[in-house]
Amino acid sequence: MSIDTNITTENILEQLKISRKIPEIIEQILTRRIVKAEAEKLGIKVEIPELQEAADLFRAKNRLISARITEKWLEINQLSLDEFETIIHLELLSDKLKQVVLTDKVEQHFYQHQLDFDRVVISEVILTNKELATELYYAIREGEISFQDVASKYITDPELKRKGGYLGQIKRKDLNPGLRSIFSVTTYPQIIKPIATAQGFHLIWLEEKIDATLEPDIYEGIQSQLFTEFLREKAMNLG
């Protein structure tokens, strides 16, 4: 049985519908229109040298190191050179708009929610039995057994067992609300008295607390979040 390899525009639209991608595509179209309209309203433009520099950076990042490789990439993605430039132009316009509409707002958001970005370095064992969790807590505290030995014995996940229950640096906002009380601890390292959540009884080895600063990754994360909220608000007002 032969399979027709000819893909039509109708086939693509049908697949978009079947894969439930239409709402996402509509959102992207509206986002593009909003970015263009807001940039025009604020007098934001992209100059040709900026466009060329951004295109060069894009090619370098995606290892499009020659004209032949770039042409093949365009062919695979069914893009013309003009459409490629449209992509770069839109990204630059979005970045410029982001900088203008979020002036001082990223810093303001960070300092208003700074505690949420504080981190702790922890290892964890979750037990189903309260009495056992309490018994192990006191045994670790008194030096009768190490946390690593407890993790090796009671953790069932192979990868987590291998790491001794080590979870690394966890932001306060990413922790189960029931566990956020560990941020009030002032002495490190130490074993934390079992904390009950819907998952069970958490036996936590707290290595250290890291007070948040506005590092580049945090800045970019907040900026992206606020810009998404800005675009959604504009989209909602279209109706």
Side-chain angles (χ1 to χ4, degrees):
M1 176 181 174
S2 61
I3 297 176
D4 184 7
T5 57
N6 181 48
I7 307 297
T8 67
T9 302
E10 289 74 19
N11 296 148
I12 294 172
L13 179 58
E14 179 186 27
Q15 185 59 39
L16 285 171
K17 290 180 178 179
I18 292 172
S19 58
R20 302 179 299 283
K21 295 290 186 181
I22 293 295
E24 180 183 337
I25 297 299
I26 290 173
E27 182 179 359
Q28 291 172 356
I29 292 170
L30 288 176
T31 294
R32 186 173 65 186
R33 291 176 179 176
I34 290 168
V35 167
K36 288 181 176 180
E38 291 296 317
E40 183 177 353
K41 183 169 67 176
L42 295 170
I44 300 171
K45 296 180 180 179
V46 173
E47 305 297 336
I48 292 178
E50 294 176 309
L51 189 63
Q52 182 61 56
E53 181 181 0
D56 291 342
L57 287 172
F58 181 93
R59 282 192 288 267
K61 182 179 179 181
N62 290 275
R63 302 179 66 83
L64 305 177
I65 56 178
S66 70
R68 183 181 62 82
I69 294 174
T70 301
E71 287 171 4
K72 185 63 176 178
W73 182 88
L74 290 171
E75 181 184 341
I76 290 172
N77 288 279
Q78 298 190 36
L79 292 169
S80 67
L81 187 57
D82 286 344
E83 288 166 337
F84 171 70
E85 290 182 355
T86 296
I87 293 171
I88 302 301
H89 183 275
L90 181 62
E91 289 181 355
L92 272 175
L93 206 60
S94 294
D95 286 341
K96 286 192 165 192
L97 178 62
K98 190 185 301 180
Q99 299 299 329
V100 171
V101 300
L102 298 181
T103 301
D104 299 329
K105 291 184 180 179
V106 174
E107 290 87 348
Q108 181 181 1
H109 179 92
F110 172 75
Y111 290 114
Q112 287 176 343
H113 302 87
Q114 188 168 356
L115 289 178
D116 286 337
F117 295 96
D118 285 349
R119 292 165 289 171
V120 283
V121 181
I122 65 173
S123 298
E124 176 186 72
V125 176
I126 302 177
L127 300 148
T128 58
N129 184 285
K130 180 180 180 180
E131 288 70 25
L132 176 59
T134 302
E135 179 183 336
L136 290 172
Y137 160 73
Y138 284 110
I140 294 170
R141 198 179 72 168
E142 297 302 321
E144 298 171 4
I145 188 173
S146 70
F147 184 89
Q148 289 69 29
D149 287 339
V150 171
S152 178
K153 183 174 182 180
Y154 293 99
I155 292 178
T156 56
D157 178 82
E159 181 62 20
L160 195 56
K161 179 193 286 284
R162 185 183 66 79
K163 296 189 295 184
Y166 181 73
L167 299 181
Q169 296 184 15
I170 309 292
K171 291 179 183 176
R172 184 180 184 275
K173 66 177 182 177
D174 294 334
L175 273 176
N176 181 310
L179 302 180
R180 292 176 186 171
S181 61
I182 65 176
F183 276 84
S184 62
V185 174
T186 57
T187 303
Y188 315 96
Q190 72 160 288
I191 185 69
I192 305 298
K193 195 169 184 178
I195 299 174
T197 72
Q199 295 174 282
F201 298 91
H202 299 249
L203 201 57
I204 295 174
W205 177 256
L206 178 59
E207 291 188 25
E208 65 175 315
K209 176 186 172 186
I210 303 171
D211 293 330
T213 57
L214 193 51
E215 300 165 356
D217 62 326
I218 293 178
Y219 186 98
E220 291 171 10
I222 295 173
Q223 186 183 56
S224 178
Q225 174 192 332
L226 294 181
F227 193 57
T228 297
E229 292 172 0
F230 167 81
L231 294 174
R232 284 178 179 166
E233 182 180 345
K234 293 293 180 182
M236 290 174 62
N237 291 335
L238 291 177

